[in-house]
Amino acid sequence: MNLTSENSDPSVHPVFDDSKIGMTGVEIALLVIIIWALGFYFLVNSVSVKQTSLGWVGVMILWQTFICTGLFITAHDAMHGAILPKHHQINHFIGSLALLLYGFFSYDEISKKHLQHHHAPASEADPDFHDGTHKNAIAWYICFMQRYWSWWRLAVLLTAYASMHSFLNIAYANLILFSAVPTILSSIQVFYFGTFLPHREPIGGYQNTSRAQSIYRPLLWSFLTCYHFGYHQEHHLQPNTPWWKLPSLQFIS
């Protein structure tokens, strides 16, 4: 397969043919959203934190974190037109819904910044890159989050939590443990496996125009870490390929 062009505009790439797999892009996207919604409903309404062991609470948090990451990856695929390439409005609606559920993020704002990342990866013009000084994972993550942080978004989230507590009688502990904490952990997961590891400068400097490196793992581990985003050079070279097809593009430079 030819993996030679670096461009985030889906129109310059051949449309991915999802007829060769059992499910379409929109079906997989909706499945992720539905699984998240069912998990969220069950965890905030049916789980008694006081009566549940700490180990099981941890498992539930990790599960919801993984599905939250799925919401973000779904929105990310929508930004590249990979969910429903021939129906842009539906494609973008699904991406907007996923980001809304993820944390009241603006699809247009995130999409603009992400496409800027693709046009100038690992550079001063890249909104996901470090500030040139703080290159370690923790400092880079803080810098990364500051560029997406919004006091308005925090106010909306707090209002939403207060409303669910007051009108739906949902305990704050459940909202914090099964909504706020998974979203924060998901942001760390997305950053570490989708930004820091692929785009940190290797010894000897960057070796390709994508300024990215792929980290190949066993298929299940690749999926669990961040929905195959270890195949990061492949993603930059064929950004309209949906996440579940990235392993099929394995590119050895």
Side-chain angles (χ1 to χ4, degrees):
M1 181 174 291
N2 181 21
L3 299 177
T4 57
S5 60
E6 164 62 25
N7 195 307
S8 59
D9 183 357
S11 64
V12 304
H13 296 287
V15 173
F16 170 69
D17 182 9
D18 57 14
S19 64
K20 296 180 181 179
I21 62 175
M23 298 180 70
T24 65
V26 68
E27 288 172 336
I28 291 177
L30 292 177
L31 180 62
V32 171
I33 291 172
I34 291 170
I35 291 174
W36 175 88
L38 291 175
F40 177 80
Y41 180 84
F42 170 77
L43 291 173
V44 301
N45 285 286
S46 303
V47 175
S48 173
V49 174
K50 293 182 179 180
Q51 298 177 1
T52 305
S53 69
L54 185 62
W56 275 113
V57 170
V59 169
M60 294 173 191
I61 290 174
L62 290 177
W63 167 257
Q64 202 63 5
T65 296
F66 178 70
I67 299 303
C68 279
T69 298
L71 286 179
F72 187 86
I73 299 300
T74 296
H76 167 270
D77 275 4
M79 296 173 197
H80 292 293
I83 292 178
L84 208 58
K86 297 179 181 179
H87 301 276
H88 298 294
Q89 289 185 335
I90 299 176
N91 178 87
H92 294 327
F93 171 78
I94 293 174
S96 298
L97 176 61
L99 276 185
L100 178 68
L101 297 174
Y102 184 76
F104 293 98
F105 284 95
S106 165
Y107 178 80
D108 290 339
E109 176 186 348
I110 299 295
S111 180
K112 181 179 179 180
K113 289 184 178 180
H114 184 67
L115 296 184
Q116 186 178 348
H117 160 73
H118 271 264
H119 284 300
S123 71
E124 293 181 356
D126 180 0
D128 295 347
F129 203 48
H130 56 69
D131 60 6
T133 303
H134 303 93
K135 301 180 181 181
N136 68 78
I138 295 176
W140 187 347
Y141 171 75
I142 294 173
C143 181
F144 173 84
M145 290 305 297
Q146 285 177 336
R147 293 168 182 167
Y148 292 94
W149 177 258
S150 167
W151 289 106
W152 173 88
R153 186 174 301 109
L154 177 62
V156 172
L157 283 169
L158 292 177
T159 301
Y161 288 161
S163 299
M164 285 187 282
H165 174 73
S166 299
F167 299 111
L168 300 178
N169 199 31
I170 297 174
Y172 276 125
N174 290 55
L175 291 170
I176 293 171
L177 290 173
F178 304 128
S179 179
V181 171
T183 301
I184 294 171
L185 292 178
S186 172
S187 72
I188 296 173
Q189 182 181 10
V190 170
F191 166 77
Y192 186 76
F193 292 104
T195 297
F196 175 73
L197 290 183
H199 286 294
R200 60 180 175 174
E201 186 172 0
I203 297 175
Y206 295 104
Q207 302 298 317
N208 53 64
T209 58
S210 303
R211 298 171 72 85
Q213 56 185 330
S214 289
I215 303 166
Y216 301 121
R217 304 178 177 92
L219 198 62
L220 179 60
W221 185 236
S222 173
F223 170 57
L224 292 176
T225 52
C226 198
Y227 293 76
H228 301 311
F229 260 53
Y231 294 86
H232 212 77
Q233 188 182 358
E234 286 81 357
H235 166 60
H236 272 263
L237 294 170
Q238 288 290 338
N240 69 317
T241 301
W243 64 263
W244 69 91
K245 293 297 294 183
L246 288 174
S248 70
L249 297 182
Q250 184 167 337
F251 175 67
I252 306 297
S253 58

